[in-house]
Amino acid sequence: MPLNITIIGSSDRQLEELLRGQDIRVKSLPMGDLLALAQQATTQPDVVVLDLRDTHALPPTLSTLRRQHPTTGVVIVAARLDPVLMLEAMRAGITEWVTNPVSSADLVAAVERVSSTRSAGVQGQIFAFVGAKGGVGTTTLAVNVAAALARLAAERTLFVDLHMSYGDAAVFFGAEPRFSVVDAIENTHRLDEAFFDSLVVNTKSRVHLLASADRATHGADLGRVGTLLHFAAAHYRYTFLDVPRSEASALDALEAVSKIVIVANQELATVRNAGRRATALRQRYGKDRIRVVLTRYDKQAEISQEDVERVIGLGVKHAVPSDYRAALQALNKGRPLALDAGNRLSDAFTSIASDLSGVRPETAADAPKAGSIFGRITGRR
Ligand SMILES: Nc1ncnc2c1ncn2[C@@H]1O[C@H](COP(=O)(O)OP(=O)(O)O)[C@@H](O)[C@H]1O
Ligand SMILES: [Mg+2]
């Protein structure tokens, strides 16, 4: 199959000539057409070559393109390596740059690198979980919804603990990782399938885990999270993120994320924080991508679900019941509750998994419940 390349925003006719070759089709569009290209329904080229030599700034519509079409490769042509511009691009998951003087060899090599990532071909969804406050139950929720979805959909599922140090997703999964997210972040230039496989652990929930480091880490460049997410979305159908609340740069890197789940409970301070957080995230990433989940939900609590909705300005679609004993037991055993049907929490996790992914429980791979009569008849359990 020929490689389709669209050059955007270039006044340099020669760029087309540099790319033209056997099995390569090139066309050029003005910068103003980037928005149309970014629309969900627009058929994508394999690679977009974005010429920024005249503008020196990332066009805002680029993030729309990345979001709608995470597997379209992007190569930037720039006058020089501008650190501010590079950081911004990295956040959007763009790592390929060619600078003046542009040679055909460099340009073709960059195009080939991004198109080979693309050919891995999955258009994965990414779900980010952010707590309104520490200790609300964010990690519990994220881990269990990931386990529930891996069970529901039987698709490749990844969990990334974005706490660079001492995050505890591994404990929840009962896993003992040797490598961490820091190894991935520090080596974004050599991310490929084999390398990535060596960094993750396959947990008993059938979720691959890229865990937090078990040591203090200083200055891991969170600007590269975008690149990591882009890779994840190309190789996993679903990626879950446990996002540190206090790390502004991690919250800044969520451009490629499909849904952001704000986790709150019915405590006054948490609800207030959730309100602030929701406003900021909504402005940045749009209302449609934000979900609010109440956890450790208590119907009798003084602050009701409606109160929470009023403060946050968004509907609360899901509430996870409170069951401290079950939650603690699962944590101590390192076995997510979502793996076992028949507790009050696992149904809530499954319905959140279904809502985020669009996979309906009844059409799911494991719809007949383990041990049900149907399961025994069909031999599926
Ligand atoms: N639905 C729940 N019901 C009762 N206790 C819960 C629930 N979810 C979490 N917990 C408990 O709350 C504590 C904090 O959970 P954790 O997920 O680590 O929070 P966070 O990631 O927000 O700091 C843990 O002891 C956990 O067992
Ligand atoms: Mg946590």
Side-chain angles (χ1 to χ4, degrees):
M1 272 220 308
L3 192 67
N4 286 304
I5 300 178
T6 299
I7 298 175
I8 294 195
S10 189
S11 54
D12 177 4
R13 301 299 309 169
Q14 235 204 322
L15 213 50
E16 269 189 40
E17 294 311 313
L18 293 178
L19 278 166
R20 233 179 263 290
Q22 235 186 343
D23 276 348
I24 297 187
R25 276 196 213 134
V26 192
K27 70 172 179 184
S28 291
L29 295 174
M31 191 60 88
D33 284 10
L34 186 59
L35 182 61
L37 186 71
Q39 299 311 305
Q40 192 134 40
T42 310
T43 309
Q44 292 298 295
D46 297 296
V47 178
V48 166
V49 173
L50 194 61
D51 192 341
L52 298 181
R53 286 176 294 180
D54 294 336
T55 60
H56 312 290
L58 282 193
T61 35
L62 185 59
S63 60
T64 315
L65 178 77
R66 299 299 287 168
R67 188 167 68 246
Q68 303 283 15
H69 303 283
T71 57
T72 301
V74 177
V75 173
I76 290 177
V77 180
R80 59 190 171 83
L81 290 178
D82 172 341
V84 177
L85 199 59
M86 284 182 78
L87 184 64
E88 235 182 287
M90 267 200 295
R91 287 199 171 125
I94 298 162
T95 46
E96 289 302 336
W97 291 75
V98 181
T99 49
N100 270 338
V102 180
S103 78
S104 175
D106 288 349
L107 193 56
V108 170
V111 162
E112 276 173 358
R113 278 192 297 270
V114 292
S115 63
S116 67
T117 323
R118 178 194 177 273
S119 64
V122 200
Q123 271 227 18
Q125 288 178 281
I126 306 177
F127 309 120
F129 288 69
V130 188
K133 206 162 172 285
V136 285
T138 306
T139 306
T140 306
L141 184 71
V143 164
N144 278 286
V145 174
L149 185 55
R151 197 180 133 132
L152 196 65
E155 297 264 14
R156 272 169 65 79
T157 304
L158 172 70
F159 191 102
V160 183
D161 192 339
L162 282 181
H163 297 80
M164 295 296 125
S165 301
Y166 309 124
D168 35 27
V171 179
F172 284 79
F173 276 114
E176 295 197 7
R178 285 196 298 142
F179 298 102
S180 77
V181 63
V182 177
D183 299 299
I185 298 267
E186 283 174 354
N187 292 286
T188 41
H189 56 284
R190 52 180 283 233
L191 276 186
D192 61 24
E193 219 159 325
F195 177 64
F196 199 78
D197 275 349
S198 74
L199 298 183
V200 297
V201 273
N202 194 357
T203 67
K204 54 189 158 240
S205 310
R206 282 190 286 144
V207 174
H208 286 190
L209 170 67
L210 184 58
S212 176
D214 223 352
R215 58 185 164 90
T217 49
H218 298 290
D221 183 359
L222 284 172
R224 296 203 196 141
V225 168
T227 311
L228 176 62
L229 298 190
H230 182 55
F231 178 87
H235 291 84
Y236 286 87
R237 185 72 192 80
Y238 304 113
T239 298
F240 286 78
L241 308 177
D242 188 353
V243 183
R245 263 175 330 113
S246 48
E247 203 66 70
S249 50
L251 289 167
D252 265 351
L254 303 180
E255 204 44 72
V257 166
S258 330
K259 302 263 161 52
I260 301 172
V261 178
I262 299 174
V263 188
N265 61 18
Q266 291 154 291
E267 285 171 24
L268 185 61
T270 312
V271 175
R272 275 208 195 135
N273 280 350
R276 282 187 216 116
R277 179 123 294 165
T279 307
L281 288 171
R282 215 158 65 178
Q283 275 166 4
R284 171 102 203 232
Y285 298 111
K287 186 174 174 212
D288 295 343
R289 282 201 270 173
I290 314 289
R291 293 278 185 284
V292 180
V293 173
L294 273 184
T295 188
R296 307 180 75 159
Y297 179 65
D298 175 4
K299 259 194 207 142
Q300 319 287 329
E302 207 170 348
I303 297 180
S304 69
Q305 178 169 336
E306 290 72 41
D307 293 333
V308 176
E309 290 177 335
R310 209 167 321 119
V311 173
I312 300 182
L314 289 167
V316 173
K317 222 169 152 188
H318 301 280
V320 178
S322 181
D323 189 340
Y324 187 64
R325 192 183 300 163
L328 201 61
Q329 227 171 35
L331 180 52
N332 290 338
K333 277 199 286 189
R335 183 176 170 81
L337 285 161
L339 294 186
D340 303 303
N343 62 67
R344 290 193 300 145
L345 300 187
S346 64
D347 289 348
F349 297 138
T350 304
S351 92
I352 297 168
S354 165
D355 173 39
L356 292 179
S357 65
V359 177
R360 307 246 308 268
E362 57 269 33
T363 59
D366 72 342
K369 287 248 162 49
S372 72
I373 189 73
F374 182 67
R376 278 194 271 155
I377 293 166
T378 57
R380 290 174 65 186
R381 34 191 83 222

